[in-house]
Amino acid sequence: MHAIEKLLANKAGKDSVTTGEIVNCEVDLAGINDLYLQTVRSFHEMGGVKVYDPSRVMMFLDHYAPASTIMQAQNQKTFRAFCWDQGIEMLMDIDQGVCHQVVADKGLAHPGEIIVITDSHTTTHGAFGAFGTGVGATDLAIILATGKLWFRVPEIIKINFEGKPRQGVYAKDIILHAIGALGADFAVYKAVEFAGSTLQYLSISERMALCNMSTEMGAKTSYIQPDDVTRAFLNEKVTRPYEIYHTDPDFVYAAQVSFDVTHLQPKLAAPSSVDNVFDIQTFIDTPVDQAYLGSCTGGRCEDIGIAAGILKGKHIAPRTRFIIVPASKGVFLEAMAKGYVQSLVEAGATFVTPGCAACLGTHEGMLASDETCITTTNRNFPGRMGDTKARIFLASPAAVAAAALEGKIVDPTPYIIKENA
C-alpha cells in the first residue's frame, strides 16, 4: 500500500484499503472558513445540537479579514457566537491569517492525520505528510456532527522533480511548469505525490507551495514523504506524537511523470488559466499596474524576504502598486523581526491584514477594468481578483517583486544574483 492508503486505513479502522474503495474515516482536524456559513446552518438542519469534539474544530475568519461589508460582518458575528456556544476554543479571528498557514504555525499539520477544511487548497498539508483535502459545507457539517467523513480511496500519481533548480527559480516556477505540461484536469480526484532529488533543495515553505498548487491540477490531496527537512520543522512546532507512514516498495502508481528542473527558466501563468504557462521571457516588458505578494501559496516569511532582498534601498515604480499580504500573524511578526517589513514599506509597498484579501476578489487590492496584475496567488481566472477585464499573471515572489520595482514584467534572475552577490 501507499503511505496515503495506510493512513486512510488506520483512520477507518481497517487493515488495508484499495483504490476506489469508500471508507469512513475519523477526521483529526476540521476547519471552517468565513465563506461557509452554510456549514453551521447545515449542522443545525441535520439536527445537530453539540459538536462531536470541539477540540478538533477550528474556525477561520480569514477570507474577509476584516469584514468589508455588513453581510460579511454579520456572518462573522454568527461564526463567533457558534464557537462560543459550542466550546470551540480554536476560533482564529481576523488577526490570525490564512487557515493553512495558521494550522502550520500552530503545529497542527503533521504526518499521519486527516485535515479537512472548507477550502480547496487544504492539499497544502501534504507538505507535512498529512492527508489534507477541501470539502463543501454539508460534508464539513457531517464532521461536526459525527467526527467522521467518507472518502473514496484515490488513485495515486507520482510526480518526480529531478535536479537542482538554478538561482532565481522557485517552487512556484516548478509547479507552474508541471501544471502547464500536464493540464489543469490532470489529477482530478487523484492523490499527487511529489518526489525526486529536487525536494532536498526545497524548504518547508517551498514544499507548501508545491502541495498547495496541486489543487490547480485537480488533486484531491497531495503528499511529500516526510524527511529530515520535515522533521526539523515539526520538531519546532508539534507537541504531540505523530506517525510517519511509508509506501511499500512494490506499490504500483496509477501514473508516474518526471521533470528535470536543472535548466528551468522562471515561469508565469498568463491570463486566464493556471495551465496557460510560459517562460517569463515571453511577456518581458508587459506593463504592470499592481504587483501582489500573498495568499496561502506565496505569502510566507521566506517569500516576503525574497521581495525585501530585491527592493531594499530602492523604490517601486511610480505607476505600480505593490500590495503585500502576510499569510499569518506569525509570518507578519517574523517578517517584522527580520526587518523585511520596514525595508518594503520604505520601498513603497503596502501591507494589509494577514488573510486572503484580494486573492478571492473581495477586498484589499481589487483590480479595475483593463488593469494588469502579477501575483504569487494560485488562480488567474477572469474576475478572480476584481474586474473580469483585468489580466492576472501568476509568478514567483521574486518575479512579483522585480515587476514592482520596474513597473513591468522582467526576468527576476539578475535581481536575485545582484542582491545575493
Side-chain angles (χ1 to χ4, degrees):
M1 287 194 297
H2 191 275
I4 291 174
E5 295 175 331
K6 292 179 180 180
L7 190 163
L8 291 174
N10 179 268
K11 296 303 177 183
K14 297 170 66 71
D15 294 329
S16 64
V17 297
T18 57
T19 300
E21 181 179 354
I22 303 296
V23 291
N24 199 35
C25 297
E26 290 189 8
V27 174
D28 296 285
L29 183 66
I32 311 160
N33 66 43
D34 49 1
L35 289 178
Y36 284 86
L37 184 60
Q38 183 59 46
T39 303
V40 174
R41 293 173 178 150
S42 294
F43 173 73
H44 291 306
E45 288 166 2
M46 291 174 182
V49 177
K50 283 294 181 181
V51 168
Y52 179 80
D53 186 350
S55 70
R56 288 194 274 159
V57 177
M58 298 184 79
M59 189 75 74
F60 304 97
L61 307 187
D62 57 355
H63 282 65
Y64 306 132
S68 58
T69 68
I70 295 172
M71 180 176 291
Q72 291 170 9
Q74 187 64 46
N75 287 357
Q76 290 183 349
K77 178 182 177 182
T78 303
F79 277 125
R80 293 185 186 104
F82 182 76
C83 288
W84 299 332
D85 177 64
Q86 293 289 333
I88 297 171
E89 296 182 0
M90 290 191 290
L91 167 61
M92 304 295 113
D93 218 309
I94 60 170
D95 64 321
Q96 290 297 308
V98 184
C99 53
H100 309 305
Q101 188 63 42
V102 172
V103 168
D105 288 352
K106 295 185 178 298
L108 298 174
H110 48 72
E113 295 200 346
I114 295 177
I115 300 173
V116 182
I117 303 175
T118 54
D119 188 282
S120 59
H121 293 99
T122 310
T123 55
T124 303
H125 305 291
F128 309 102
F131 182 96
T133 194
V135 299
T138 303
D139 283 340
L140 208 291
I142 290 170
I143 299 173
L144 292 183
T146 68
K148 296 182 177 182
L149 188 65
W150 69 270
F151 301 97
R152 177 165 59 85
V153 180
E155 292 182 78
I156 302 173
I157 296 169
K158 190 174 190 179
I159 298 179
N160 296 295
F161 295 118
E162 303 294 350
K164 183 178 181 179
R166 59 190 287 270
Q167 193 165 24
V169 171
Y170 299 90
K172 186 65 169 290
D173 302 296
I174 293 169
I175 191 63
L176 284 177
H177 177 63
I179 295 170
L182 300 172
D185 59 352
F186 174 73
V188 172
Y189 209 101
K190 295 178 174 65
V192 174
E193 177 185 356
F194 295 111
S197 61
T198 303
L199 291 182
Q200 67 185 294
Y201 304 109
L202 300 184
S203 64
I204 282 293
S205 175
E206 293 281 83
R207 294 175 183 204
M208 290 175 73
L210 278 187
C211 291
N212 177 283
M213 290 291 291
S214 70
T215 299
E216 307 313 324
M217 59 175 71
K220 177 66 176 175
T221 193
S222 68
Y223 185 79
I224 293 176
Q225 182 63 40
D227 57 11
D228 290 344
V229 173
T230 321
R231 282 186 283 268
F233 179 86
L234 295 175
N235 288 343
E236 293 184 2
K237 300 285 186 179
V238 177
T239 58
R240 66 178 190 266
Y242 55 82
E243 183 172 0
I244 296 176
Y245 294 96
H246 296 271
T247 301
D248 295 333
D250 61 349
F251 178 77
V252 178
Y253 290 88
Q256 290 201 56
V257 185
S258 293
F259 296 97
D260 184 349
V261 307
T262 308
H263 303 292
L264 195 70
Q265 301 293 314
K267 298 283 183 176
L268 52 72
S272 293
S273 176
V274 182
D275 57 4
N276 190 30
V277 177
F278 299 86
D279 285 346
I280 203 165
Q281 296 289 344
T282 307
F283 290 92
I284 290 293
D285 293 334
T286 300
V288 170
D289 299 290
Q290 178 168 295
Y292 185 98
L293 192 151
S295 86
C296 55
T297 311
R300 282 172 277 281
C301 189
E302 190 172 303
D303 306 315
I304 297 171
I306 291 167
I310 291 172
L311 283 163
K312 185 177 182 180
K314 304 180 179 67
H315 201 279
I316 63 173
R319 296 188 181 186
T320 300
R321 312 180 295 275
F322 188 19
I323 295 176
I324 301 177
V325 192
S328 70
K329 180 179 182 177
V331 165
F332 199 14
L333 289 170
E334 184 181 354
M336 282 194 285
K338 291 184 174 181
Y340 300 157
V341 175
Q342 178 150 346
S343 294
L344 287 163
V345 170
E346 289 173 349
T350 301
F351 276 80
V352 302
T353 308
C356 298
C359 177
L360 74 157
T362 55
H363 63 155
E364 296 186 314
M366 300 277 280
L367 299 174
S369 175
D370 298 319
E371 285 194 316
T372 297
C373 178
I374 185 168
T375 173
T376 64
T377 56
N378 42 51
R379 288 175 179 160
N380 61 347
F381 311 141
R384 174 68 179 179
M385 297 181 72
D387 194 279
T388 56
K389 292 183 180 179
R391 299 203 308 160
I392 303 168
F393 291 88
L394 307 179
S396 74
V400 168
L405 176 65
E406 300 293 352
K408 60 186 179 181
I409 293 175
V410 295
D411 183 342
T413 307
Y415 301 86
I416 298 295
I417 293 173
K418 184 177 179 180
E419 290 299 328
N420 291 344

PDB file of all heavy atoms in Angstrom, residues 46-70:
ATOM      1  N   MET A  46     -29.413  19.308  10.143  1.00  0.00           N
ATOM      2  CA  MET A  46     -29.254  17.860  10.352  1.00  0.00           C
ATOM      3  C   MET A  46     -29.685  17.430  11.750  1.00  0.00           C
ATOM      4  O   MET A  46     -29.631  16.250  12.083  1.00  0.00           O
ATOM      5  CB  MET A  46     -27.783  17.472  10.166  1.00  0.00           C
ATOM      6  CG  MET A  46     -27.265  17.581   8.752  1.00  0.00           C
ATOM      7  SD  MET A  46     -25.475  17.269   8.720  1.00  0.00           S
ATOM      8  CE  MET A  46     -25.138  17.515   6.977  1.00  0.00           C
ATOM      9  N   GLY A  47     -30.076  18.394  12.559  1.00  0.00           N
ATOM     10  CA  GLY A  47     -30.464  18.070  13.932  1.00  0.00           C
ATOM     11  C   GLY A  47     -29.328  18.179  14.911  1.00  0.00           C
ATOM     12  O   GLY A  47     -29.453  17.769  16.076  1.00  0.00           O
ATOM     13  N   GLY A  48     -28.212  18.752  14.464  1.00  0.00           N
ATOM     14  CA  GLY A  48     -27.058  18.891  15.335  1.00  0.00           C
ATOM     15  C   GLY A  48     -27.336  19.830  16.501  1.00  0.00           C
ATOM     16  O   GLY A  48     -27.936  20.895  16.323  1.00  0.00           O
ATOM     17  N   VAL A  49     -26.912  19.415  17.673  1.00  0.00           N
ATOM     18  CA  VAL A  49     -27.060  20.236  18.872  1.00  0.00           C
ATOM     19  C   VAL A  49     -25.689  20.615  19.421  1.00  0.00           C
ATOM     20  O   VAL A  49     -25.395  21.772  19.680  1.00  0.00           O
ATOM     21  CB  VAL A  49     -27.880  19.495  19.953  1.00  0.00           C
ATOM     22  CG1 VAL A  49     -27.970  20.344  21.228  1.00  0.00           C
ATOM     23  CG2 VAL A  49     -29.278  19.170  19.435  1.00  0.00           C
ATOM     24  N   LYS A  50     -24.840  19.583  19.602  1.00  0.00           N
ATOM     25  CA  LYS A  50     -23.488  19.812  20.088  1.00  0.00           C
ATOM     26  C   LYS A  50     -22.469  19.195  19.134  1.00  0.00           C
ATOM     27  O   LYS A  50     -22.658  18.072  18.648  1.00  0.00           O
ATOM     28  CB  LYS A  50     -23.302  19.213  21.488  1.00  0.00           C
ATOM     29  CG  LYS A  50     -23.929  20.039  22.610  1.00  0.00           C
ATOM     30  CD  LYS A  50     -23.211  21.393  22.751  1.00  0.00           C
ATOM     31  CE  LYS A  50     -23.805  22.231  23.886  1.00  0.00           C
ATOM     32  NZ  LYS A  50     -23.126  23.551  23.996  1.00  0.00           N
ATOM     33  N   VAL A  51     -21.414  19.932  18.865  1.00  0.00           N
ATOM     34  CA  VAL A  51     -20.345  19.433  18.007  1.00  0.00           C
ATOM     35  C   VAL A  51     -19.719  18.199  18.644  1.00  0.00           C
ATOM     36  O   VAL A  51     -19.521  18.152  19.866  1.00  0.00           O
ATOM     37  CB  VAL A  51     -19.281  20.538  17.797  1.00  0.00           C
ATOM     38  CG1 VAL A  51     -18.020  19.977  17.153  1.00  0.00           C
ATOM     39  CG2 VAL A  51     -19.854  21.666  16.960  1.00  0.00           C
ATOM     40  N   TYR A  52     -19.418  17.206  17.803  1.00  0.00           N
ATOM     41  CA  TYR A  52     -18.908  15.911  18.281  1.00  0.00           C
ATOM     42  C   TYR A  52     -17.679  16.083  19.164  1.00  0.00           C
ATOM     43  O   TYR A  52     -17.600  15.509  20.249  1.00  0.00           O
ATOM     44  CB  TYR A  52     -18.590  15.014  17.085  1.00  0.00           C
ATOM     45  CG  TYR A  52     -18.045  13.667  17.448  1.00  0.00           C
ATOM     46  CD1 TYR A  52     -18.888  12.640  17.866  1.00  0.00           C
ATOM     47  CD2 TYR A  52     -16.669  13.413  17.385  1.00  0.00           C
ATOM     48  CE1 TYR A  52     -18.396  11.396  18.211  1.00  0.00           C
ATOM     49  CE2 TYR A  52     -16.169  12.169  17.733  1.00  0.00           C
ATOM     50  CZ  TYR A  52     -17.023  11.159  18.138  1.00  0.00           C
ATOM     51  OH  TYR A  52     -16.516   9.934  18.479  1.00  0.00           O
ATOM     52  N   ASP A  53     -16.710  16.852  18.727  1.00  0.00           N
ATOM     53  CA  ASP A  53     -15.492  17.072  19.510  1.00  0.00           C
ATOM     54  C   ASP A  53     -14.958  18.467  19.206  1.00  0.00           C
ATOM     55  O   ASP A  53     -14.209  18.663  18.254  1.00  0.00           O
ATOM     56  CB  ASP A  53     -14.433  16.016  19.179  1.00  0.00           C
ATOM     57  CG  ASP A  53     -13.202  16.115  20.078  1.00  0.00           C
ATOM     58  OD1 ASP A  53     -13.095  17.108  20.823  1.00  0.00           O
ATOM     59  OD2 ASP A  53     -12.348  15.207  20.023  1.00  0.00           O
ATOM     60  N   PRO A  54     -15.317  19.464  20.024  1.00  0.00           N
ATOM     61  CA  PRO A  54     -14.901  20.849  19.767  1.00  0.00           C
ATOM     62  C   PRO A  54     -13.384  21.026  19.712  1.00  0.00           C
ATOM     63  O   PRO A  54     -12.899  21.955  19.062  1.00  0.00           O
ATOM     64  CB  PRO A  54     -15.498  21.620  20.957  1.00  0.00           C
ATOM     65  CG  PRO A  54     -16.600  20.757  21.464  1.00  0.00           C
ATOM     66  CD  PRO A  54     -16.176  19.345  21.227  1.00  0.00           C
ATOM     67  N   SER A  55     -12.635  20.146  20.368  1.00  0.00           N
ATOM     68  CA  SER A  55     -11.182  20.288  20.396  1.00  0.00           C
ATOM     69  C   SER A  55     -10.541  19.964  19.054  1.00  0.00           C
ATOM     70  O   SER A  55      -9.354  20.232  18.849  1.00  0.00           O
ATOM     71  CB  SER A  55     -10.585  19.384  21.478  1.00  0.00           C
ATOM     72  OG  SER A  55     -10.690  18.008  21.129  1.00  0.00           O
ATOM     73  N   ARG A  56     -11.324  19.399  18.132  1.00  0.00           N
ATOM     74  CA  ARG A  56     -10.791  19.063  16.806  1.00  0.00           C
ATOM     75  C   ARG A  56     -11.361  19.970  15.716  1.00  0.00           C
ATOM     76  O   ARG A  56     -11.287  19.648  14.542  1.00  0.00           O
ATOM     77  CB  ARG A  56     -11.100  17.596  16.472  1.00  0.00           C
ATOM     78  CG  ARG A  56     -10.272  16.603  17.285  1.00  0.00           C
ATOM     79  CD  ARG A  56     -10.363  15.210  16.686  1.00  0.00           C
ATOM     80  NE  ARG A  56     -11.522  14.484  17.166  1.00  0.00           N
ATOM     81  CZ  ARG A  56     -12.061  13.442  16.545  1.00  0.00           C
ATOM     82  NH1 ARG A  56     -11.553  13.010  15.409  1.00  0.00           N
ATOM     83  NH2 ARG A  56     -13.106  12.824  17.051  1.00  0.00           N
ATOM     84  N   VAL A  57     -11.924  21.101  16.140  1.00  0.00           N
ATOM     85  CA  VAL A  57     -12.546  22.024  15.177  1.00  0.00           C
ATOM     86  C   VAL A  57     -11.874  23.388  15.274  1.00  0.00           C
ATOM     87  O   VAL A  57     -11.629  23.901  16.368  1.00  0.00           O
ATOM     88  CB  VAL A  57     -14.062  22.163  15.457  1.00  0.00           C
ATOM     89  CG1 VAL A  57     -14.680  23.168  14.495  1.00  0.00           C
ATOM     90  CG2 VAL A  57     -14.753  20.813  15.349  1.00  0.00           C
ATOM     91  N   MET A  58     -11.589  23.968  14.092  1.00  0.00           N
ATOM     92  CA  MET A  58     -11.059  25.326  14.020  1.00  0.00           C
ATOM     93  C   MET A  58     -11.997  26.183  13.171  1.00  0.00           C
ATOM     94  O   MET A  58     -12.556  25.701  12.189  1.00  0.00           O
ATOM     95  CB  MET A  58      -9.656  25.346  13.408  1.00  0.00           C
ATOM     96  CG  MET A  58      -8.618  24.578  14.202  1.00  0.00           C
ATOM     97  SD  MET A  58      -6.935  24.721  13.504  1.00  0.00           S
ATOM     98  CE  MET A  58      -6.453  26.343  14.109  1.00  0.00           C
ATOM     99  N   MET A  59     -12.156  27.421  13.575  1.00  0.00           N
ATOM    100  CA  MET A  59     -12.945  28.378  12.803  1.00  0.00           C
ATOM    101  C   MET A  59     -12.017  29.495  12.357  1.00  0.00           C
ATOM    102  O   MET A  59     -11.303  30.088  13.174  1.00  0.00           O
ATOM    103  CB  MET A  59     -14.076  28.954  13.651  1.00  0.00           C
ATOM    104  CG  MET A  59     -15.076  29.776  12.891  1.00  0.00           C
ATOM    105  SD  MET A  59     -16.182  28.749  11.898  1.00  0.00           S
ATOM    106  CE  MET A  59     -17.238  28.040  13.179  1.00  0.00           C
ATOM    107  N   PHE A  60     -11.993  29.779  11.049  1.00  0.00           N
ATOM    108  CA  PHE A  60     -11.070  30.768  10.499  1.00  0.00           C
ATOM    109  C   PHE A  60     -11.842  31.941   9.893  1.00  0.00           C
ATOM    110  O   PHE A  60     -12.621  31.761   8.956  1.00  0.00           O
ATOM    111  CB  PHE A  60     -10.212  30.141   9.393  1.00  0.00           C
ATOM    112  CG  PHE A  60      -9.449  28.922   9.808  1.00  0.00           C
ATOM    113  CD1 PHE A  60      -9.948  27.645   9.541  1.00  0.00           C
ATOM    114  CD2 PHE A  60      -8.228  29.032  10.464  1.00  0.00           C
ATOM    115  CE1 PHE A  60      -9.252  26.519   9.911  1.00  0.00           C
ATOM    116  CE2 PHE A  60      -7.511  27.909  10.837  1.00  0.00           C
ATOM    117  CZ  PHE A  60      -8.022  26.640  10.566  1.00  0.00           C
ATOM    118  N   LEU A  61     -11.607  33.135  10.420  1.00  0.00           N
ATOM    119  CA  LEU A  61     -12.167  34.333   9.821  1.00  0.00           C
ATOM    120  C   LEU A  61     -11.041  34.966   9.000  1.00  0.00           C
ATOM    121  O   LEU A  61     -10.387  35.922   9.410  1.00  0.00           O
ATOM    122  CB  LEU A  61     -12.691  35.282  10.901  1.00  0.00           C
ATOM    123  CG  LEU A  61     -13.682  34.659  11.897  1.00  0.00           C
ATOM    124  CD1 LEU A  61     -14.274  35.726  12.810  1.00  0.00           C
ATOM    125  CD2 LEU A  61     -14.788  33.890  11.178  1.00  0.00           C
ATOM    126  N   ASP A  62     -10.794  34.373   7.818  1.00  0.00           N
ATOM    127  CA  ASP A  62      -9.623  34.740   7.032  1.00  0.00           C
ATOM    128  C   ASP A  62      -9.934  35.306   5.653  1.00  0.00           C
ATOM    129  O   ASP A  62      -9.191  36.134   5.136  1.00  0.00           O
ATOM    130  CB  ASP A  62      -8.686  33.534   6.881  1.00  0.00           C
ATOM    131  CG  ASP A  62      -9.344  32.311   6.241  1.00  0.00           C
ATOM    132  OD1 ASP A  62     -10.566  32.343   5.980  1.00  0.00           O
ATOM    133  OD2 ASP A  62      -8.638  31.307   6.019  1.00  0.00           O
ATOM    134  N   HIS A  63     -11.028  34.905   5.049  1.00  0.00           N
ATOM    135  CA  HIS A  63     -11.324  35.381   3.697  1.00  0.00           C
ATOM    136  C   HIS A  63     -11.850  36.817   3.700  1.00  0.00           C
ATOM    137  O   HIS A  63     -11.673  37.534   2.725  1.00  0.00           O
ATOM    138  CB  HIS A  63     -12.339  34.453   3.016  1.00  0.00           C
ATOM    139  CG  HIS A  63     -11.736  33.182   2.513  1.00  0.00           C
ATOM    140  ND1 HIS A  63     -11.199  32.238   3.352  1.00  0.00           N
ATOM    141  CD2 HIS A  63     -11.567  32.700   1.256  1.00  0.00           C
ATOM    142  CE1 HIS A  63     -10.726  31.218   2.623  1.00  0.00           C
ATOM    143  NE2 HIS A  63     -10.939  31.485   1.358  1.00  0.00           N
ATOM    144  N   TYR A  64     -12.493  37.204   4.788  1.00  0.00           N
ATOM    145  CA  TYR A  64     -12.992  38.569   4.935  1.00  0.00           C
ATOM    146  C   TYR A  64     -12.369  39.185   6.185  1.00  0.00           C
ATOM    147  O   TYR A  64     -13.055  39.419   7.179  1.00  0.00           O
ATOM    148  CB  TYR A  64     -14.519  38.583   5.072  1.00  0.00           C
ATOM    149  CG  TYR A  64     -15.264  37.868   3.965  1.00  0.00           C
ATOM    150  CD1 TYR A  64     -16.284  36.963   4.265  1.00  0.00           C
ATOM    151  CD2 TYR A  64     -14.966  38.102   2.633  1.00  0.00           C
ATOM    152  CE1 TYR A  64     -16.984  36.318   3.253  1.00  0.00           C
ATOM    153  CE2 TYR A  64     -15.657  37.454   1.615  1.00  0.00           C
ATOM    154  CZ  TYR A  64     -16.667  36.566   1.941  1.00  0.00           C
ATOM    155  OH  TYR A  64     -17.361  35.925   0.938  1.00  0.00           O
ATOM    156  N   ALA A  65     -11.060  39.421   6.158  1.00  0.00           N
ATOM    157  CA  ALA A  65     -10.370  39.869   7.356  1.00  0.00           C
ATOM    158  C   ALA A  65      -9.721  41.233   7.117  1.00  0.00           C
ATOM    159  O   ALA A  65      -8.740  41.320   6.394  1.00  0.00           O
ATOM    160  CB  ALA A  65      -9.303  38.840   7.757  1.00  0.00           C
ATOM    161  N   PRO A  66     -10.260  42.290   7.729  1.00  0.00           N
ATOM    162  CA  PRO A  66     -11.528  42.350   8.453  1.00  0.00           C
ATOM    163  C   PRO A  66     -12.699  42.474   7.483  1.00  0.00           C
ATOM    164  O   PRO A  66     -12.495  42.694   6.300  1.00  0.00           O
ATOM    165  CB  PRO A  66     -11.377  43.614   9.297  1.00  0.00           C
ATOM    166  CG  PRO A  66     -10.465  44.481   8.490  1.00  0.00           C
ATOM    167  CD  PRO A  66      -9.505  43.551   7.792  1.00  0.00           C
ATOM    168  N   ALA A  67     -13.914  42.338   8.023  1.00  0.00           N
ATOM    169  CA  ALA A  67     -15.116  42.387   7.186  1.00  0.00           C
ATOM    170  C   ALA A  67     -15.192  43.707   6.434  1.00  0.00           C
ATOM    171  O   ALA A  67     -14.926  44.778   6.986  1.00  0.00           O
ATOM    172  CB  ALA A  67     -16.354  42.208   8.059  1.00  0.00           C
ATOM    173  N   SER A  68     -15.559  43.614   5.146  1.00  0.00           N
ATOM    174  CA  SER A  68     -15.649  44.822   4.317  1.00  0.00           C
ATOM    175  C   SER A  68     -17.085  45.149   3.903  1.00  0.00           C
ATOM    176  O   SER A  68     -17.317  46.141   3.219  1.00  0.00           O
ATOM    177  CB  SER A  68     -14.784  44.661   3.058  1.00  0.00           C
ATOM    178  OG  SER A  68     -15.185  43.541   2.303  1.00  0.00           O
ATOM    179  N   THR A  69     -18.049  44.302   4.304  1.00  0.00           N
ATOM    180  CA  THR A  69     -19.460  44.582   4.061  1.00  0.00           C
ATOM    181  C   THR A  69     -20.250  44.229   5.315  1.00  0.00           C
ATOM    182  O   THR A  69     -19.773  43.482   6.186  1.00  0.00           O
ATOM    183  CB  THR A  69     -20.024  43.761   2.884  1.00  0.00           C
ATOM    184  OG1 THR A  69     -20.061  42.366   3.257  1.00  0.00           O
ATOM    185  CG2 THR A  69     -19.182  43.929   1.625  1.00  0.00           C
ATOM    186  N   ILE A  70     -21.469  44.734   5.394  1.00  0.00           N
ATOM    187  CA  ILE A  70     -22.320  44.427   6.546  1.00  0.00           C
ATOM    188  C   ILE A  70     -22.626  42.933   6.601  1.00  0.00           C
ATOM    189  O   ILE A  70     -22.616  42.318   7.680  1.00  0.00           O
ATOM    190  CB  ILE A  70     -23.626  45.247   6.485  1.00  0.00           C
ATOM    191  CG1 ILE A  70     -23.312  46.735   6.625  1.00  0.00           C
ATOM    192  CG2 ILE A  70     -24.606  44.804   7.569  1.00  0.00           C
ATOM    193  CD1 ILE A  70     -24.499  47.651   6.380  1.00  0.00           C
TER     194      ILE A  70
END
